[in-house]
Amino acid sequence: MVLGIGGPCAVCEIRGLCWEAWLGSIVIVAIALTLLRPSPSMWLAAVLVIGACGSVGLMGWSGWRFHSLNVFSSYSPRLIICGRAYQPEGPTRRRLPAPFKGLSQHVIGVTPSGGAILGAGCQTTVLFVESPGPLYRSYDLLGGP
C-alpha cells in the first residue's frame, strides 16, 4: 500500500509532473500490484485504468497550465507560473545570458516533456525553458509587472 501510493508521489516530487513521472508511477503501481498477487486479468485491468486516468490527467494539466495537449513537446505557446502568464520571445539560445548563468539552481517548474523551467522566483519577468541539446527558449511576462 505504501509503495503503491508513496512511490508515485515520490517520483512526482523528485521529477515534477511530466510524462517521465507518469511512466515511473505506472511501473511502481504495477510492482505494488504484483505484491498483492491479483489474478493476471485483474492486474492488467488495474494497470490500464490507472495508466488511462494518469494520461488524461497529465494531458488536462498540460492543456490548462501550458496551453498544449502535447506532453512530449518542449515548446509551449504559453506558460503560467505563479499565476503569471509568459509567452515565448526571441530565438532559441545555446547558452543562458550572463545574468542567468546561475539559474541551474533555480528550477521553478518542469514542462510536461520534462524540460526545466528556469527563473529567479515568482517575481521574474523572464523565464527560460530548457530543451534537449541543451537549448534554452526565453519566455517573457505578458502584461505588466
Side-chain angles (χ1 to χ4, degrees):
M1 184 82 157
V2 171
L3 179 65
I5 295 172
C9 291
V11 169
C12 285
E13 184 65 31
I14 292 168
R15 188 65 189 119
L17 197 55
C18 64
W19 71 269
E20 295 164 340
W22 168 77
L23 189 60
S25 297
I26 290 175
V27 169
I28 291 171
V29 167
I31 291 169
L33 286 173
T34 302
L35 296 175
L36 295 174
R37 295 191 175 122
S39 66
S41 60
M42 181 72 90
W43 180 88
L44 181 62
V47 169
L48 289 176
V49 166
I50 290 170
C53 290
S55 297
V56 169
L58 182 61
M59 286 192 327
W61 176 77
S62 175
W64 170 68
R65 183 113 185 250
F66 300 101
H67 299 274
S68 172
L69 295 179
N70 185 356
V71 297
F72 300 107
S73 172
S74 61
Y75 173 77
S76 296
R78 183 176 288 177
L79 298 175
I80 298 177
I81 303 292
C82 298
R84 302 171 85 182
Y86 297 84
Q87 73 179 19
E89 287 292 326
T92 303
R93 305 168 184 235
R94 290 212 173 274
R95 286 181 270 146
L96 288 171
F100 291 94
K101 291 283 188 197
L103 283 183
S104 61
Q105 305 300 325
H106 299 286
V107 176
I108 60 173
V110 64
T111 64
S113 67
I117 301 172
L118 307 170
C122 286
Q123 300 305 319
T124 188
T125 58
V126 178
L127 298 174
F128 288 92
V129 175
E130 185 178 20
S131 300
L135 298 172
Y136 300 94
R137 178 162 199 121
S138 66
Y139 282 74
D140 290 343
L141 180 66
L142 284 173

